Amino acid sequence: MFVCICRAVTVDEVHEHCDAGAYTVDDISDRCGAGEGCGTCLDKLDSILSERLATATSAA
């Protein structure tokens, strides 16, 4: 599923960038361009990051 239509970035790609050290929406944007077009995906990117943080925190 696409997160960012403008840059054709998928959910899986976002997770890969997070696994490689992207911890903020800006980090993700720097790596793949998501969020740099219309900006509609910014909330979804933030949601993905929050879910990952919650999962990491509960697993610790």
Side-chain angles (χ1 to χ4, degrees):
M1 173 181 15
F2 286 104
V3 173
C4 177
I5 299 299
C6 297
R7 301 289 190 252
V9 178
T10 65
V11 172
D12 290 339
E13 288 177 82
V14 171
H15 284 289
E16 288 172 10
H17 291 301
C18 291
D19 291 342
Y23 300 111
T24 67
V25 171
D26 286 338
D27 289 343
I28 294 168
S29 290
D30 290 345
R31 291 168 186 254
C32 64
E36 294 178 352
C38 71
T40 303
C41 63
L42 293 173
D43 287 339
K44 183 62 178 171
L45 293 171
D46 190 49
S47 176
I48 291 169
L49 289 169
S50 294
E51 289 173 14
R52 288 179 61 96
L53 179 61
T55 301
T57 303
S58 66

mmCIF file of all heavy atoms in Angstrom:
data_model
loop_
_atom_site.group_PDB
_atom_site.id
_atom_site.type_symbol
_atom_site.label_atom_id
_atom_site.label_comp_id
_atom_site.label_asym_id
_atom_site.label_seq_id
_atom_site.Cartn_x
_atom_site.Cartn_y
_atom_site.Cartn_z
ATOM 1 N N MET A 1 0.841 -1.170 0.000
ATOM 2 C CA MET A 1 0.000 0.000 0.000
ATOM 3 C C MET A 1 0.891 1.240 0.000
ATOM 4 O O MET A 1 1.900 1.294 0.703
ATOM 5 C CB MET A 1 -0.913 0.001 1.225
ATOM 6 C CG MET A 1 -1.670 1.287 1.328
ATOM 7 S SD MET A 1 -2.815 1.590 2.679
ATOM 8 C CE MET A 1 -2.532 0.423 3.912
ATOM 9 N N PHE A 2 0.480 2.230 -0.775
ATOM 10 C CA PHE A 2 1.228 3.472 -0.827
ATOM 11 C C PHE A 2 0.909 4.363 0.368
ATOM 12 O O PHE A 2 -0.236 4.485 0.768
ATOM 13 C CB PHE A 2 0.917 4.248 -2.107
ATOM 14 C CG PHE A 2 1.541 3.650 -3.328
ATOM 15 C CD1 PHE A 2 0.783 2.933 -4.231
ATOM 16 C CD2 PHE A 2 2.891 3.797 -3.566
ATOM 17 C CE1 PHE A 2 1.348 2.366 -5.348
ATOM 18 C CE2 PHE A 2 3.491 3.236 -4.684
ATOM 19 C CZ PHE A 2 2.708 2.518 -5.577
ATOM 20 N N VAL A 3 1.942 4.957 0.915
ATOM 21 C CA VAL A 3 1.792 5.976 1.957
ATOM 22 C C VAL A 3 1.842 7.350 1.286
ATOM 23 O O VAL A 3 1.068 8.227 1.583
ATOM 24 C CB VAL A 3 2.917 5.871 3.010
ATOM 25 C CG1 VAL A 3 2.853 7.018 3.983
ATOM 26 C CG2 VAL A 3 2.845 4.560 3.732
ATOM 27 N N CYS A 4 2.784 7.489 0.362
ATOM 28 C CA CYS A 4 2.992 8.752 -0.352
ATOM 29 C C CYS A 4 2.784 8.504 -1.839
ATOM 30 O O CYS A 4 3.614 7.857 -2.482
ATOM 31 C CB CYS A 4 4.401 9.296 -0.085
ATOM 32 S SG CYS A 4 4.778 10.810 -0.982
ATOM 33 N N ILE A 5 1.689 9.022 -2.352
ATOM 34 C CA ILE A 5 1.384 8.852 -3.770
ATOM 35 C C ILE A 5 2.327 9.705 -4.623
ATOM 36 O O ILE A 5 2.778 9.289 -5.676
ATOM 37 C CB ILE A 5 -0.086 9.233 -4.061
ATOM 38 C CG1 ILE A 5 -1.033 8.333 -3.270
ATOM 39 C CG2 ILE A 5 -0.386 9.186 -5.556
ATOM 40 C CD1 ILE A 5 -0.931 6.863 -3.582
ATOM 41 N N CYS A 6 2.632 10.913 -4.159
ATOM 42 C CA CYS A 6 3.483 11.832 -4.934
ATOM 43 C C CYS A 6 4.842 11.213 -5.266
ATOM 44 O O CYS A 6 5.376 11.422 -6.355
ATOM 45 C CB CYS A 6 3.715 13.134 -4.171
ATOM 46 S SG CYS A 6 2.222 14.095 -3.868
ATOM 47 N N ARG A 7 5.409 10.461 -4.329
ATOM 48 C CA ARG A 7 6.740 9.882 -4.517
ATOM 49 C C ARG A 7 6.698 8.357 -4.627
ATOM 50 O O ARG A 7 7.735 7.705 -4.653
ATOM 51 C CB ARG A 7 7.660 10.262 -3.357
ATOM 52 C CG ARG A 7 7.855 11.735 -3.165
ATOM 53 C CD ARG A 7 8.719 12.320 -4.289
ATOM 54 N NE ARG A 7 9.089 13.686 -3.968
ATOM 55 C CZ ARG A 7 8.598 14.753 -4.581
ATOM 56 N NH1 ARG A 7 7.732 14.614 -5.545
ATOM 57 N NH2 ARG A 7 8.975 15.963 -4.231
ATOM 58 N N ALA A 8 5.485 7.787 -4.675
ATOM 59 C CA ALA A 8 5.278 6.342 -4.811
ATOM 60 C C ALA A 8 6.032 5.560 -3.725
ATOM 61 O O ALA A 8 6.714 4.578 -4.002
ATOM 62 C CB ALA A 8 5.672 5.859 -6.197
ATOM 63 N N VAL A 9 5.876 6.000 -2.482
ATOM 64 C CA VAL A 9 6.530 5.357 -1.343
ATOM 65 C C VAL A 9 5.513 4.459 -0.639
ATOM 66 O O VAL A 9 4.420 4.897 -0.284
ATOM 67 C CB VAL A 9 7.090 6.410 -0.357
ATOM 68 C CG1 VAL A 9 7.725 5.736 0.846
ATOM 69 C CG2 VAL A 9 8.084 7.315 -1.052
ATOM 70 N N THR A 10 5.904 3.208 -0.436
ATOM 71 C CA THR A 10 5.007 2.241 0.193
ATOM 72 C C THR A 10 5.236 2.167 1.703
ATOM 73 O O THR A 10 6.262 2.633 2.207
ATOM 74 C CB THR A 10 5.221 0.831 -0.394
ATOM 75 O OG1 THR A 10 6.535 0.396 -0.056
ATOM 76 C CG2 THR A 10 5.013 0.817 -1.896
ATOM 77 N N VAL A 11 4.288 1.545 2.380
ATOM 78 C CA VAL A 11 4.415 1.315 3.823
ATOM 79 C C VAL A 11 5.667 0.497 4.107
ATOM 80 O O VAL A 11 6.420 0.806 5.040
ATOM 81 C CB VAL A 11 3.162 0.586 4.372
ATOM 82 C CG1 VAL A 11 3.354 0.177 5.811
ATOM 83 C CG2 VAL A 11 1.931 1.450 4.226
ATOM 84 N N ASP A 12 5.908 -0.523 3.307
ATOM 85 C CA ASP A 12 7.093 -1.363 3.506
ATOM 86 C C ASP A 12 8.381 -0.556 3.383
ATOM 87 O O ASP A 12 9.313 -0.749 4.163
ATOM 88 C CB ASP A 12 7.108 -2.528 2.515
ATOM 89 C CG ASP A 12 6.032 -3.564 2.806
ATOM 90 O OD1 ASP A 12 5.547 -3.609 3.954
ATOM 91 O OD2 ASP A 12 5.682 -4.316 1.877
ATOM 92 N N GLU A 13 8.422 0.359 2.417
ATOM 93 C CA GLU A 13 9.603 1.203 2.269
ATOM 94 C C GLU A 13 9.824 2.091 3.497
ATOM 95 O O GLU A 13 10.955 2.261 3.943
ATOM 96 C CB GLU A 13 9.485 2.093 1.034
ATOM 97 C CG GLU A 13 9.638 1.351 -0.269
ATOM 98 C CD GLU A 13 9.444 2.270 -1.444
ATOM 99 O OE1 GLU A 13 10.406 2.969 -1.817
ATOM 100 O OE2 GLU A 13 8.314 2.286 -1.989
ATOM 101 N N VAL A 14 8.744 2.618 4.030
ATOM 102 C CA VAL A 14 8.851 3.457 5.233
ATOM 103 C C VAL A 14 9.428 2.630 6.375
ATOM 104 O O VAL A 14 10.336 3.084 7.082
ATOM 105 C CB VAL A 14 7.487 4.063 5.617
ATOM 106 C CG1 VAL A 14 7.548 4.746 6.974
ATOM 107 C CG2 VAL A 14 7.022 5.051 4.551
ATOM 108 N N HIS A 15 8.935 1.408 6.540
ATOM 109 C CA HIS A 15 9.459 0.541 7.599
ATOM 110 C C HIS A 15 10.935 0.216 7.371
ATOM 111 O O HIS A 15 11.713 0.171 8.330
ATOM 112 C CB HIS A 15 8.633 -0.739 7.717
ATOM 113 C CG HIS A 15 7.318 -0.526 8.388
ATOM 114 N ND1 HIS A 15 7.194 -0.269 9.738
ATOM 115 C CD2 HIS A 15 6.060 -0.502 7.893
ATOM 116 C CE1 HIS A 15 5.918 -0.118 10.050
ATOM 117 N NE2 HIS A 15 5.214 -0.248 8.937
ATOM 118 N N GLU A 16 11.327 0.015 6.133
ATOM 119 C CA GLU A 16 12.736 -0.245 5.832
ATOM 120 C C GLU A 16 13.605 0.953 6.212
ATOM 121 O O GLU A 16 14.690 0.780 6.774
ATOM 122 C CB GLU A 16 12.905 -0.561 4.340
ATOM 123 C CG GLU A 16 12.362 -1.913 3.945
ATOM 124 C CD GLU A 16 12.356 -2.126 2.437
ATOM 125 O OE1 GLU A 16 12.948 -1.312 1.697
ATOM 126 O OE2 GLU A 16 11.740 -3.112 2.005
ATOM 127 N N HIS A 17 13.126 2.154 5.926
ATOM 128 C CA HIS A 17 13.881 3.351 6.296
ATOM 129 C C HIS A 17 13.963 3.492 7.816
ATOM 130 O O HIS A 17 15.008 3.879 8.353
ATOM 131 C CB HIS A 17 13.268 4.602 5.671
ATOM 132 C CG HIS A 17 13.429 4.657 4.181
ATOM 133 N ND1 HIS A 17 14.656 4.645 3.557
ATOM 134 C CD2 HIS A 17 12.514 4.705 3.178
ATOM 135 C CE1 HIS A 17 14.491 4.692 2.250
ATOM 136 N NE2 HIS A 17 13.191 4.721 1.987
ATOM 137 N N CYS A 18 12.895 3.160 8.491
ATOM 138 C CA CYS A 18 12.899 3.203 9.961
ATOM 139 C C CYS A 18 13.902 2.182 10.514
ATOM 140 O O CYS A 18 14.658 2.491 11.435
ATOM 141 C CB CYS A 18 11.505 2.930 10.513
ATOM 142 S SG CYS A 18 10.316 4.237 10.199
ATOM 143 N N ASP A 19 13.898 0.991 9.949
ATOM 144 C CA ASP A 19 14.845 -0.043 10.372
ATOM 145 C C ASP A 19 16.297 0.402 10.157
ATOM 146 O O ASP A 19 17.192 -0.005 10.889
ATOM 147 C CB ASP A 19 14.602 -1.350 9.619
ATOM 148 C CG ASP A 19 13.305 -2.030 10.010
ATOM 149 O OD1 ASP A 19 12.750 -1.712 11.083
ATOM 150 O OD2 ASP A 19 12.834 -2.879 9.215
ATOM 151 N N ALA A 20 16.489 1.261 9.151
ATOM 152 C CA ALA A 20 17.836 1.732 8.815
ATOM 153 C C ALA A 20 18.213 3.015 9.559
ATOM 154 O O ALA A 20 19.269 3.579 9.296
ATOM 155 C CB ALA A 20 17.940 1.955 7.313
ATOM 156 N N GLY A 21 17.332 3.457 10.477
ATOM 157 C CA GLY A 21 17.705 4.598 11.302
ATOM 158 C C GLY A 21 16.910 5.869 11.124
ATOM 159 O O GLY A 21 17.271 6.900 11.693
ATOM 160 N N ALA A 22 15.840 5.854 10.361
ATOM 161 C CA ALA A 22 14.980 7.027 10.235
ATOM 162 C C ALA A 22 14.032 7.061 11.431
ATOM 163 O O ALA A 22 13.231 6.148 11.606
ATOM 164 C CB ALA A 22 14.189 6.984 8.935
ATOM 165 N N TYR A 23 14.145 8.090 12.264
ATOM 166 C CA TYR A 23 13.357 8.162 13.495
ATOM 167 C C TYR A 23 12.327 9.276 13.492
ATOM 168 O O TYR A 23 11.534 9.380 14.423
ATOM 169 C CB TYR A 23 14.277 8.334 14.701
ATOM 170 C CG TYR A 23 15.257 7.202 14.850
ATOM 171 C CD1 TYR A 23 16.606 7.399 14.628
ATOM 172 C CD2 TYR A 23 14.822 5.925 15.184
ATOM 173 C CE1 TYR A 23 17.506 6.350 14.750
ATOM 174 C CE2 TYR A 23 15.709 4.874 15.305
ATOM 175 C CZ TYR A 23 17.051 5.103 15.087
ATOM 176 O OH TYR A 23 17.934 4.069 15.200
ATOM 177 N N THR A 24 12.353 10.128 12.464
ATOM 178 C CA THR A 24 11.395 11.231 12.369
ATOM 179 C C THR A 24 10.838 11.297 10.950
ATOM 180 O O THR A 24 11.397 10.699 10.017
ATOM 181 C CB THR A 24 12.054 12.592 12.691
ATOM 182 O OG1 THR A 24 13.004 12.894 11.660
ATOM 183 C CG2 THR A 24 12.727 12.587 14.058
ATOM 184 N N VAL A 25 9.759 12.051 10.795
ATOM 185 C CA VAL A 25 9.193 12.254 9.467
ATOM 186 C C VAL A 25 10.229 12.924 8.563
ATOM 187 O O VAL A 25 10.367 12.570 7.394
ATOM 188 C CB VAL A 25 7.890 13.087 9.549
ATOM 189 C CG1 VAL A 25 7.409 13.481 8.171
ATOM 190 C CG2 VAL A 25 6.800 12.313 10.286
ATOM 191 N N ASP A 26 10.977 13.870 9.106
ATOM 192 C CA ASP A 26 12.025 14.530 8.317
ATOM 193 C C ASP A 26 13.087 13.528 7.857
ATOM 194 O O ASP A 26 13.578 13.624 6.723
ATOM 195 C CB ASP A 26 12.685 15.657 9.107
ATOM 196 C CG ASP A 26 11.799 16.882 9.242
ATOM 197 O OD1 ASP A 26 10.872 17.046 8.415
ATOM 198 O OD2 ASP A 26 12.032 17.678 10.171
ATOM 199 N N ASP A 27 13.448 12.592 8.733
ATOM 200 C CA ASP A 27 14.413 11.556 8.348
ATOM 201 C C ASP A 27 13.901 10.750 7.158
ATOM 202 O O ASP A 27 14.638 10.469 6.211
ATOM 203 C CB ASP A 27 14.698 10.593 9.501
ATOM 204 C CG ASP A 27 15.500 11.192 10.634
ATOM 205 O OD1 ASP A 27 16.130 12.249 10.439
ATOM 206 O OD2 ASP A 27 15.482 10.585 11.726
ATOM 207 N N ILE A 28 12.637 10.371 7.226
ATOM 208 C CA ILE A 28 12.036 9.586 6.145
ATOM 209 C C ILE A 28 12.007 10.413 4.857
ATOM 210 O O ILE A 28 12.365 9.928 3.788
ATOM 211 C CB ILE A 28 10.628 9.096 6.533
ATOM 212 C CG1 ILE A 28 10.719 8.100 7.685
ATOM 213 C CG2 ILE A 28 9.925 8.461 5.326
ATOM 214 C CD1 ILE A 28 9.394 7.765 8.335
ATOM 215 N N SER A 29 11.602 11.673 4.981
ATOM 216 C CA SER A 29 11.568 12.560 3.810
ATOM 217 C C SER A 29 12.941 12.692 3.171
ATOM 218 O O SER A 29 13.070 12.665 1.940
ATOM 219 C CB SER A 29 11.057 13.943 4.203
ATOM 220 O OG SER A 29 9.702 13.904 4.523
ATOM 221 N N ASP A 30 13.960 12.837 4.004
ATOM 222 C CA ASP A 30 15.322 12.964 3.479
ATOM 223 C C ASP A 30 15.749 11.719 2.703
ATOM 224 O O ASP A 30 16.486 11.811 1.728
ATOM 225 C CB ASP A 30 16.314 13.217 4.607
ATOM 226 C CG ASP A 30 16.183 14.591 5.227
ATOM 227 O OD1 ASP A 30 15.516 15.468 4.612
ATOM 228 O OD2 ASP A 30 16.722 14.792 6.330
ATOM 229 N N ARG A 31 15.281 10.563 3.145
ATOM 230 C CA ARG A 31 15.706 9.297 2.530
ATOM 231 C C ARG A 31 14.950 8.955 1.252
ATOM 232 O O ARG A 31 15.521 8.380 0.335
ATOM 233 C CB ARG A 31 15.564 8.155 3.528
ATOM 234 C CG ARG A 31 16.559 8.258 4.671
ATOM 235 C CD ARG A 31 16.191 7.288 5.782
ATOM 236 N NE ARG A 31 17.059 7.473 6.929
ATOM 237 C CZ ARG A 31 18.029 6.638 7.272
ATOM 238 N NH1 ARG A 31 18.251 5.566 6.559
ATOM 239 N NH2 ARG A 31 18.768 6.883 8.335
ATOM 240 N N CYS A 32 13.643 9.278 1.209
ATOM 241 C CA CYS A 32 12.863 8.818 0.052
ATOM 242 C C CYS A 32 11.968 9.883 -0.572
ATOM 243 O O CYS A 32 11.315 9.617 -1.573
ATOM 244 C CB CYS A 32 12.019 7.609 0.446
ATOM 245 S SG CYS A 32 10.770 7.965 1.690
ATOM 246 N N GLY A 33 11.891 11.056 0.031
ATOM 247 C CA GLY A 33 11.085 12.126 -0.534
ATOM 248 C C GLY A 33 9.636 12.143 -0.094
ATOM 249 O O GLY A 33 8.888 13.054 -0.460
ATOM 250 N N ALA A 34 9.217 11.155 0.684
ATOM 251 C CA ALA A 34 7.835 11.148 1.161
ATOM 252 C C ALA A 34 7.564 12.409 1.971
ATOM 253 O O ALA A 34 8.389 12.831 2.769
ATOM 254 C CB ALA A 34 7.571 9.913 2.020
ATOM 255 N N GLY A 35 6.404 13.014 1.732
ATOM 256 C CA GLY A 35 6.024 14.215 2.464
ATOM 257 C C GLY A 35 6.478 15.511 1.825
ATOM 258 O O GLY A 35 6.122 16.586 2.277
ATOM 259 N N GLU A 36 7.251 15.409 0.761
ATOM 260 C CA GLU A 36 7.768 16.616 0.122
ATOM 261 C C GLU A 36 6.884 17.116 -1.015
ATOM 262 O O GLU A 36 7.134 18.178 -1.555
ATOM 263 C CB GLU A 36 9.183 16.371 -0.398
ATOM 264 C CG GLU A 36 10.176 16.131 0.709
ATOM 265 C CD GLU A 36 11.579 15.850 0.201
ATOM 266 O OE1 GLU A 36 11.769 15.687 -1.025
ATOM 267 O OE2 GLU A 36 12.490 15.789 1.040
ATOM 268 N N GLY A 37 5.861 16.362 -1.363
ATOM 269 C CA GLY A 37 4.945 16.777 -2.435
ATOM 270 C C GLY A 37 3.782 17.550 -1.837
ATOM 271 O O GLY A 37 3.973 18.641 -1.297
ATOM 272 N N CYS A 38 2.618 16.969 -1.882
ATOM 273 C CA CYS A 38 1.415 17.662 -1.408
ATOM 274 C C CYS A 38 1.304 17.685 0.113
ATOM 275 O O CYS A 38 0.594 18.510 0.674
ATOM 276 C CB CYS A 38 0.172 17.031 -2.012
ATOM 277 S SG CYS A 38 -0.220 15.380 -1.375
ATOM 278 N N GLY A 39 1.981 16.760 0.794
ATOM 279 C CA GLY A 39 1.954 16.733 2.260
ATOM 280 C C GLY A 39 0.833 15.920 2.868
ATOM 281 O O GLY A 39 0.743 15.793 4.084
ATOM 282 N N THR A 40 0.002 15.324 2.040
ATOM 283 C CA THR A 40 -1.124 14.534 2.546
ATOM 284 C C THR A 40 -0.665 13.349 3.383
ATOM 285 O O THR A 40 -1.348 12.936 4.314
ATOM 286 C CB THR A 40 -1.989 14.039 1.370
ATOM 287 O OG1 THR A 40 -2.416 15.174 0.624
ATOM 288 C CG2 THR A 40 -3.196 13.260 1.857
ATOM 289 N N CYS A 41 0.502 12.824 3.112
ATOM 290 C CA CYS A 41 0.980 11.618 3.790
ATOM 291 C C CYS A 41 1.654 11.900 5.138
ATOM 292 O O CYS A 41 1.982 10.964 5.867
ATOM 293 C CB CYS A 41 1.965 10.864 2.899
ATOM 294 S SG CYS A 41 3.463 11.804 2.530
ATOM 295 N N LEU A 42 1.859 13.144 5.499
ATOM 296 C CA LEU A 42 2.592 13.463 6.723
ATOM 297 C C LEU A 42 1.950 12.846 7.963
ATOM 298 O O LEU A 42 2.653 12.319 8.829
ATOM 299 C CB LEU A 42 2.744 14.974 6.878
ATOM 300 C CG LEU A 42 3.628 15.646 5.830
ATOM 301 C CD1 LEU A 42 3.574 17.161 5.989
ATOM 302 C CD2 LEU A 42 5.050 15.133 5.900
ATOM 303 N N ASP A 43 0.624 12.892 8.045
ATOM 304 C CA ASP A 43 -0.062 12.292 9.198
ATOM 305 C C ASP A 43 0.143 10.780 9.230
ATOM 306 O O ASP A 43 0.345 10.196 10.299
ATOM 307 C CB ASP A 43 -1.554 12.609 9.176
ATOM 308 C CG ASP A 43 -1.849 14.053 9.537
ATOM 309 O OD1 ASP A 43 -0.991 14.712 10.183
ATOM 310 O OD2 ASP A 43 -2.947 14.526 9.178
ATOM 311 N N LYS A 44 0.111 10.136 8.073
ATOM 312 C CA LYS A 44 0.313 8.682 8.014
ATOM 313 C C LYS A 44 1.741 8.322 8.405
ATOM 314 O O LYS A 44 1.962 7.357 9.139
ATOM 315 C CB LYS A 44 -0.012 8.154 6.612
ATOM 316 C CG LYS A 44 0.113 6.660 6.492
ATOM 317 C CD LYS A 44 -0.853 5.929 7.413
ATOM 318 C CE LYS A 44 -0.710 4.429 7.224
ATOM 319 N NZ LYS A 44 -1.469 3.683 8.233
ATOM 320 N N LEU A 45 2.717 9.097 7.938
ATOM 321 C CA LEU A 45 4.105 8.855 8.323
ATOM 322 C C LEU A 45 4.271 8.989 9.829
ATOM 323 O O LEU A 45 4.914 8.150 10.471
ATOM 324 C CB LEU A 45 5.041 9.823 7.595
ATOM 325 C CG LEU A 45 5.161 9.656 6.091
ATOM 326 C CD1 LEU A 45 5.937 10.824 5.499
ATOM 327 C CD2 LEU A 45 5.800 8.334 5.740
ATOM 328 N N ASP A 46 3.676 10.021 10.402
ATOM 329 C CA ASP A 46 3.747 10.226 11.847
ATOM 330 C C ASP A 46 3.078 9.077 12.590
ATOM 331 O O ASP A 46 3.581 8.606 13.614
ATOM 332 C CB ASP A 46 3.099 11.561 12.215
ATOM 333 C CG ASP A 46 3.356 11.947 13.642
ATOM 334 O OD1 ASP A 46 4.529 11.906 14.079
ATOM 335 O OD2 ASP A 46 2.380 12.305 14.342
ATOM 336 N N SER A 47 1.976 8.593 12.062
ATOM 337 C CA SER A 47 1.267 7.463 12.672
ATOM 338 C C SER A 47 2.121 6.194 12.650
ATOM 339 O O SER A 47 2.181 5.457 13.653
ATOM 340 C CB SER A 47 -0.046 7.233 11.931
ATOM 341 O OG SER A 47 -0.718 6.110 12.434
ATOM 342 N N ILE A 48 2.778 5.932 11.546
ATOM 343 C CA ILE A 48 3.650 4.760 11.441
ATOM 344 C C ILE A 48 4.776 4.857 12.465
ATOM 345 O O ILE A 48 5.081 3.890 13.172
ATOM 346 C CB ILE A 48 4.218 4.613 10.018
ATOM 347 C CG1 ILE A 48 3.103 4.236 9.046
ATOM 348 C CG2 ILE A 48 5.346 3.573 9.978
ATOM 349 C CD1 ILE A 48 3.492 4.310 7.586
ATOM 350 N N LEU A 49 5.387 6.028 12.568
ATOM 351 C CA LEU A 49 6.463 6.219 13.546
ATOM 352 C C LEU A 49 5.961 6.030 14.973
ATOM 353 O O LEU A 49 6.630 5.399 15.794
ATOM 354 C CB LEU A 49 7.088 7.602 13.376
ATOM 355 C CG LEU A 49 7.926 7.784 12.121
ATOM 356 C CD1 LEU A 49 8.259 9.250 11.917
ATOM 357 C CD2 LEU A 49 9.197 6.961 12.202
ATOM 358 N N SER A 50 4.787 6.551 15.279
ATOM 359 C CA SER A 50 4.223 6.406 16.632
ATOM 360 C C SER A 50 3.936 4.953 16.971
ATOM 361 O O SER A 50 4.186 4.500 18.072
ATOM 362 C CB SER A 50 2.924 7.228 16.737
ATOM 363 O OG SER A 50 3.197 8.589 16.626
ATOM 364 N N GLU A 51 3.383 4.219 15.990
ATOM 365 C CA GLU A 51 3.109 2.794 16.207
ATOM 366 C C GLU A 51 4.391 2.009 16.454
ATOM 367 O O GLU A 51 4.447 1.143 17.325
ATOM 368 C CB GLU A 51 2.379 2.216 14.991
ATOM 369 C CG GLU A 51 0.955 2.685 14.854
ATOM 370 C CD GLU A 51 0.314 2.236 13.546
ATOM 371 O OE1 GLU A 51 0.887 1.344 12.864
ATOM 372 O OE2 GLU A 51 -0.730 2.795 13.194
ATOM 373 N N ARG A 52 5.426 2.319 15.694
ATOM 374 C CA ARG A 52 6.713 1.641 15.888
ATOM 375 C C ARG A 52 7.298 1.956 17.264
ATOM 376 O O ARG A 52 7.825 1.064 17.921
ATOM 377 C CB ARG A 52 7.689 2.033 14.784
ATOM 378 C CG ARG A 52 7.343 1.426 13.439
ATOM 379 C CD ARG A 52 8.318 1.854 12.371
ATOM 380 N NE ARG A 52 9.673 1.426 12.686
ATOM 381 C CZ ARG A 52 10.246 0.312 12.230
ATOM 382 N NH1 ARG A 52 9.576 -0.493 11.450
ATOM 383 N NH2 ARG A 52 11.491 0.010 12.552
ATOM 384 N N LEU A 53 7.186 3.195 17.692
ATOM 385 C CA LEU A 53 7.693 3.593 19.003
ATOM 386 C C LEU A 53 6.917 2.873 20.106
ATOM 387 O O LEU A 53 7.507 2.366 21.055
ATOM 388 C CB LEU A 53 7.605 5.103 19.185
ATOM 389 C CG LEU A 53 8.073 5.641 20.521
ATOM 390 C CD1 LEU A 53 9.543 5.318 20.744
ATOM 391 C CD2 LEU A 53 7.845 7.133 20.590
ATOM 392 N N ALA A 54 5.598 2.815 19.967
ATOM 393 C CA ALA A 54 4.778 2.134 20.962
ATOM 394 C C ALA A 54 5.128 0.648 21.034
ATOM 395 O O ALA A 54 5.211 0.077 22.123
ATOM 396 C CB ALA A 54 3.298 2.315 20.634
ATOM 397 N N THR A 55 5.339 0.035 19.888
ATOM 398 C CA THR A 55 5.697 -1.385 19.850
ATOM 399 C C THR A 55 7.062 -1.616 20.474
ATOM 400 O O THR A 55 7.250 -2.552 21.251
ATOM 401 C CB THR A 55 5.689 -1.883 18.385
ATOM 402 O OG1 THR A 55 4.399 -1.685 17.837
ATOM 403 C CG2 THR A 55 6.067 -3.349 18.319
ATOM 404 N N ALA A 56 8.014 -0.741 20.153
ATOM 405 C CA ALA A 56 9.365 -0.876 20.714
ATOM 406 C C ALA A 56 9.361 -0.667 22.216
ATOM 407 O O ALA A 56 10.075 -1.353 22.952
ATOM 408 C CB ALA A 56 10.307 0.110 20.036
ATOM 409 N N THR A 57 8.558 0.278 22.685
ATOM 410 C CA THR A 57 8.481 0.588 24.110
ATOM 411 C C THR A 57 7.837 -0.557 24.880
ATOM 412 O O THR A 57 8.301 -0.929 25.964
ATOM 413 C CB THR A 57 7.690 1.885 24.351
ATOM 414 O OG1 THR A 57 8.318 2.940 23.612
ATOM 415 C CG2 THR A 57 7.660 2.253 25.811
ATOM 416 N N SER A 58 6.798 -1.158 24.319
ATOM 417 C CA SER A 58 6.114 -2.246 25.015
ATOM 418 C C SER A 58 6.950 -3.525 25.014
ATOM 419 O O SER A 58 6.802 -4.369 25.887
ATOM 420 C CB SER A 58 4.744 -2.508 24.395
ATOM 421 O OG SER A 58 4.854 -3.001 23.090
ATOM 422 N N ALA A 59 7.825 -3.675 24.024
ATOM 423 C CA ALA A 59 8.670 -4.864 23.947
ATOM 424 C C ALA A 59 9.883 -4.777 24.872
ATOM 425 O O ALA A 59 10.488 -5.785 25.197
ATOM 426 C CB ALA A 59 9.160 -5.060 22.514
ATOM 427 N N ALA A 60 10.201 -3.574 25.308
ATOM 428 C CA ALA A 60 11.404 -3.373 26.156
ATOM 429 C C ALA A 60 11.149 -3.712 27.601
ATOM 430 O O ALA A 60 10.194 -3.934 28.137
ATOM 431 C CB ALA A 60 11.871 -1.942 26.052
#
